[in-house]
Amino acid sequence: MPSWTDMKETQPLVAQMLVNSFKKDRISHAYLFQGDKGTGKREMSTLFAKSIFCKEREGAEPCQTCVNCKRIDSGNHPDLHWVSPDGQSIKKEQILNLQKEFTYTGMESNLKVYIIVDADKMTTNASNRLLKFLEEPNQQTTAMLLTENSQSMLDTIRSRCQLLAFQPLNPERVEKELEDLGVSTSNAKILASLTNNLQEAQELNDEDWFANVRKLVIQLVEVLLNKPNEGLLFINHQWMPHFKERKQLQIGLDVLMLWFQDLIHQDLDREQAIVFTQEREKRDQAVLRWSRQSAAQSLSLILEAKRKINQNVHPTLVMEQLTLQLQR
């Protein structure tokens, strides 16, 4: 149950603007929450709804314990309505049903709130129905539209909403959040370096195949260092069977990039930036093989491999070529 204090740590500007709307008693009839997946849009909208309905709130802070707060937590508040895509899109019928709900008198008060998740996925007909809804706002109705891509929405809808832009989480924040969720410090560092999307980081951590990515990267580096003639054998018999999908292979290459970035960080005495914190001995050995310049060149080679994967070049051929290049 995040509070406004929590939200100010992750999204300070958005949180402060919403808190100010309570202080000034100027809640808009419609908000557009724009931001990447995992930046806290759903949590923010839920908290904002609590603050609207809570009768025991102090300033903007809801009590979290009253009937209204608990109903919102359980998804059973009669005057808070959620709309999500039905399949691939939000359909006209869903907006019509929403409008019908709003013709009834509120169960607890005249306050009503609706939250549309993935609002950019509304069909044209659904968008036009919502537009009519927004054009005639009820003073006691608040809408929150959540989207990762507001540019895909009608300009006329965007213009009737107060736009609030959610910023990507910084890596340190993602790392701390992951550790709080029980992820090991070493894995949290890697995940936070791969993505600033907390939800995506959690999903990666839960994937069985990801658990061995770190180990495979270290094994590849050891082969390149100590048994270069076995590089192609390792790629074909251990690396490629693990990364069955192109998306997985891209992530494997991203983790390999982190290794070479660590070599550069070590050369520049940037200890805080190092991700593979438990592999100091292996890094000491690796810096004798790859200078800062050659580590930077290796990063370029990996980026080129990633580009080829995106262009549908055969993944095994790409990895074999990259392995030979890294051996030189």
Side-chain angles (χ1 to χ4, degrees):
M1 295 185 292
S3 65
W4 286 112
T5 301
D6 298 326
M7 286 301 177
K8 284 179 182 178
E9 290 184 14
T10 56
Q11 295 293 341
L13 185 59
V14 172
Q16 190 59 56
M17 290 176 70
L18 292 176
V19 166
N20 287 344
S21 68
F22 286 101
K23 290 181 178 178
K24 298 175 182 178
D25 196 24
R26 292 177 60 183
I27 296 175
S28 297
H29 74 277
Y31 295 89
L32 181 57
F33 290 2
Q34 155 74 43
D36 292 340
K37 178 181 176 184
T39 49
K41 299 186 297 297
R42 183 183 284 266
E43 292 85 352
M44 191 79 79
S45 60
T46 302
L47 181 61
F48 193 49
K50 281 185 181 178
S51 295
I52 290 173
F53 286 114
C54 182
K55 295 177 181 178
E56 307 294 331
R57 75 168 190 259
E58 295 185 9
E61 200 68 64
C63 69
Q64 305 282 9
T65 58
C66 69
V67 171
N68 283 332
C69 287
K70 288 183 176 179
R71 281 178 172 176
I72 290 173
D73 280 332
S74 64
N76 292 318
H77 196 288
D79 297 321
L80 171 61
H81 303 275
W82 290 82
V83 179
S84 299
D86 179 10
Q88 296 297 311
S89 62
I90 296 173
K91 299 170 176 61
K92 176 183 175 181
E93 290 72 25
Q94 292 177 267
I95 304 301
L96 287 172
N97 289 335
L98 179 67
Q99 289 175 299
K100 184 178 179 181
E101 287 287 340
F102 277 67
T103 62
Y104 305 136
T105 303
M107 298 292 289
E108 306 293 334
S109 67
N110 289 326
L111 296 174
K112 283 182 175 289
V113 174
Y114 63 95
I115 301 170
I116 300 181
V117 180
D118 294 332
D120 54 289
K121 294 182 180 178
M122 286 186 289
T123 63
T124 301
N125 286 336
S127 296
N128 288 329
R129 289 303 310 181
L130 180 68
L131 180 59
K132 291 185 178 181
F133 205 14
L134 292 172
E135 285 175 337
E136 301 172 359
N138 184 305
Q139 289 299 316
Q140 293 183 294
T141 296
T142 302
M144 284 173 269
L145 281 58
L146 318 186
T147 179
E148 295 175 37
N149 183 17
S150 64
Q151 297 305 310
S152 296
M153 298 171 62
L154 292 178
D155 290 341
T156 43
I157 288 181
R158 295 207 310 267
S159 67
R160 284 167 173 76
C161 300
Q162 181 177 343
L163 175 63
L164 296 175
F166 283 62
Q167 300 302 311
L169 303 182
N170 65 55
E172 291 80 9
R173 179 72 190 185
V174 175
E175 186 179 333
K176 182 181 182 302
E177 294 272 0
L178 289 170
E179 288 179 3
D180 290 345
L181 291 168
V183 178
S184 68
T185 300
S186 56
N187 280 345
K189 266 190 171 297
I190 288 181
L191 289 164
S193 299
L194 291 175
T195 176
N196 54 18
N197 181 323
L198 181 59
Q199 185 176 340
E200 185 179 339
Q202 287 178 270
E203 289 171 357
L204 276 176
N205 187 64
D206 292 338
E207 292 280 356
D208 290 337
W209 70 270
F210 186 76
N212 287 320
V213 172
R214 177 197 190 99
K215 182 170 70 175
L216 279 169
V217 166
I218 296 301
Q219 288 175 343
L220 175 58
V221 169
E222 289 179 331
V223 168
L224 293 173
L225 282 170
N226 304 314
K227 301 176 182 178
N229 292 334
E230 297 180 12
L232 296 183
L233 194 65
F234 178 83
I235 290 299
N236 282 281
H237 290 275
Q238 294 192 58
W239 183 276
M240 293 309 301
H242 189 72
F243 299 103
K244 294 181 174 64
E245 300 174 13
R246 287 177 184 268
K247 181 181 177 182
Q248 293 176 344
L249 181 54
Q250 290 283 18
I251 293 172
L253 289 171
D254 286 336
V255 177
L256 184 60
M257 287 186 68
L258 293 177
W259 168 264
F260 283 100
Q261 287 173 359
D262 275 1
L263 299 186
I264 296 173
H265 291 318
Q266 179 160 325
D267 187 68
L268 296 172
D269 292 325
R270 296 174 180 165
E271 288 293 324
Q272 287 298 108
I274 288 175
V275 173
F276 285 86
T277 54
Q278 297 179 338
E279 283 78 21
R280 179 60 192 247
E281 187 176 334
K282 292 183 177 66
R283 283 202 316 277
D284 288 341
Q285 182 184 3
V287 293
L288 299 176
R289 165 66 177 79
W290 289 286
S291 64
R292 190 199 313 175
Q293 184 178 0
S294 60
Q297 177 63 24
S298 296
L299 289 174
S300 298
L301 293 170
I302 299 169
L303 283 172
E304 178 63 16
K306 286 174 61 64
R307 185 183 65 80
K308 289 178 180 176
I309 295 296
N310 281 335
Q311 293 176 336
N312 288 327
V313 179
H314 196 284
T316 302
L317 294 179
V318 172
M319 283 306 305
E320 287 178 347
Q321 182 183 30
L322 176 62
T323 302
L324 292 173
Q325 290 172 326
L326 294 176
Q327 285 174 356
R328 294 171 187 165

